[in-house]
Amino acid sequence: MVMKIEVNDNNEIVAYVKHGDIVGDNLIEFEGNKIPDGFYENYKPSFYLLQNNEIVENPNYVAPKPPEIKPSDLEKQVATLSYQQMVDSQTIETLQQHNAQMAYQIMTGGNA
């Protein structure tokens, strides 16, 4: 079995395919019997290097930090508007209750 690997300028393996093709500039065909044990299970981009026509673990590999996910400006604006709508709804409900109480007092002549 032949697989294709893509390496970057540092000879780090950044992609591979067992069957078919991948789009890339630095594609190399590699014999399946030369693939180290655990390659498929442990593969991460740049975790392995191609050195002297062998796949070896990258001693300088550093796992990438996950991206910080923060709300966008639009999401912040929507949240602000939603909060304001909730406050306005509570204010309207409170005013409606006061109006109902005043209407009741007017109808009953102030005798509650």
Side-chain angles (χ1 to χ4, degrees):
M1 174 178 82
V2 176
M3 95 171 162
K4 291 183 182 179
I5 59 175
E6 180 181 3
V7 296
N8 62 15
D9 294 336
N10 298 320
N11 285 334
E12 297 169 333
I13 300 173
V14 294
Y16 75 90
V17 65
K18 292 196 253 185
H19 307 286
D21 254 333
I22 53 177
V23 177
D25 294 331
N26 298 320
L27 294 179
I28 300 167
E29 288 191 1
F30 203 79
E31 290 296 323
N33 59 354
K34 293 184 178 180
I35 298 169
D37 291 338
F39 175 84
Y40 299 115
E41 296 81 17
N42 299 323
Y43 175 81
K44 297 175 214 76
S46 301
F47 184 76
Y48 288 100
L49 297 172
L50 183 62
Q51 287 183 336
N52 302 322
N53 206 27
E54 288 186 24
I55 295 176
V56 296
E57 285 188 26
N58 182 354
N60 300 320
Y61 175 78
V62 177
K65 294 181 182 178
E68 286 188 37
I69 301 175
K70 296 181 180 179
S72 68
D73 289 340
L74 178 62
E75 291 170 324
K76 289 177 187 177
Q77 291 173 350
V78 169
T80 300
L81 288 172
S82 297
Y83 176 77
Q84 186 61 50
Q85 182 181 14
M86 180 191 68
V87 169
D88 290 347
S89 294
Q90 290 174 342
T91 302
I92 290 169
E93 186 177 330
T94 301
L95 291 172
Q96 287 173 336
Q97 288 175 353
H98 288 305
N99 285 347
Q101 288 172 353
M102 286 195 293
Y104 180 76
Q105 287 179 352
I106 290 170
M107 289 184 337
T108 60
N111 299 326

